[in-house]
Amino acid sequence: VIESALNPVIRSRVGASGLWQFMAATGKMYDLEVNSLVDERFDPHKSTVAAVKYLKDLYAKYNDWNLVIAAYNCGPGRVDKAISRSGGQTDYWALYPYLPKETRGYVPIFIAATYIMNYFQEHNITPQDCPKPATMDSLIVNKTVHFQQISDVLNIPIDDIRKFNPQFKKDVIPGDYKGYTGAGY
């Protein structure tokens, strides 16, 4: 929610992309393919698996969720630098003045969002229903297929194919050299 407002196709001004706002290099470190045809940072399932692995690795390093969230936002290098500048402090609030301005705001926003998601009823907040297609399925494509071909054969609007497959950049699934999972209804 904090990274992308749950928009799987969002891109930040610095190039962080997808639900989890991965930079290309970090995405590649966590096995997300990023090239001229495919950007798996936009694949909701694969990017979530990568984010879980990244958060797990950050927690193994810092053993503190506030530092993990800070490192997710600005990178572990900047958190390490803040720890060094603070004289070795490992409490987020002690590091606060040494962190980038955006990160100083990010962790409190994350804490507030987590609180609201858990205690929404106490504040008379009503969750909004999320519209979904009636039936979704996915399949592995082992051959290059253009979205227009899929649209024509399955009678699915091409805009829906794009919407449910944001990881494919050019309306094509380049399955000739490896299989890709595509979604539709």
Side-chain angles (χ1 to χ4, degrees):
V1 170
I2 305 305
E3 286 293 332
S4 65
L6 300 178
N7 179 347
V9 296
I10 197 164
R11 183 183 306 269
S12 78
R13 59 179 164 61
V14 295
S17 298
L19 280 176
W20 293 96
Q21 289 293 280
F22 274 109
M23 294 298 288
T26 308
K28 288 178 181 180
M29 285 174 37
Y30 286 89
D31 300 321
L32 297 177
E33 185 175 348
V34 180
N35 61 44
S36 63
L37 294 175
V38 179
D39 190 339
E40 291 180 336
R41 295 176 297 166
F42 295 109
D43 181 310
H45 178 75
K46 286 185 179 181
S47 66
T48 298
V49 169
V52 168
K53 289 177 184 176
Y54 187 34
L55 290 166
K56 183 178 179 183
D57 288 349
L58 291 172
Y59 190 80
K61 178 176 181 157
Y62 296 111
N63 202 33
D64 178 279
W65 282 112
N66 287 333
L67 293 182
V68 168
I69 300 306
Y72 194 94
N73 179 254
C74 69
R78 285 190 171 168
V79 170
D80 292 346
K81 188 184 264 187
I83 289 170
S84 178
R85 287 182 177 169
S86 74
Q89 297 286 328
T90 56
D91 175 71
Y92 170 78
W93 301 106
L95 299 179
Y96 185 89
Y98 304 99
L99 291 166
K101 183 178 180 182
E102 178 184 329
T103 304
R104 290 193 309 256
Y106 182 82
V107 172
I109 289 169
F110 184 90
I111 292 168
T114 302
Y115 174 84
I116 290 297
M117 283 190 244
N118 285 292
Y119 298 100
F120 63 91
Q121 292 171 324
E122 285 87 343
H123 299 283
N124 295 321
I125 297 172
T126 305
Q128 187 177 7
D129 287 333
C130 180
K132 295 186 266 185
T135 305
M136 286 285 294
D137 203 355
S138 61
L139 55 100
I140 296 177
V141 177
N142 291 310
K143 171 179 171 178
T144 296
V145 179
H146 293 268
F147 284 5
Q148 190 62 55
Q149 292 171 289
I150 297 168
S151 176
D152 292 344
V153 170
L154 299 178
N155 198 28
I156 298 172
I158 197 165
D159 286 339
D160 286 352
I161 296 168
R162 286 183 190 119
K163 178 180 174 182
F164 297 124
N165 297 278
Q167 67 272 31
F168 300 113
K169 296 172 151 181
K170 307 215 181 222
D171 286 0
V172 64
I173 301 173
D176 283 342
Y177 70 98
K178 80 173 204 178
Y180 287 97
T181 302
Y185 62 89

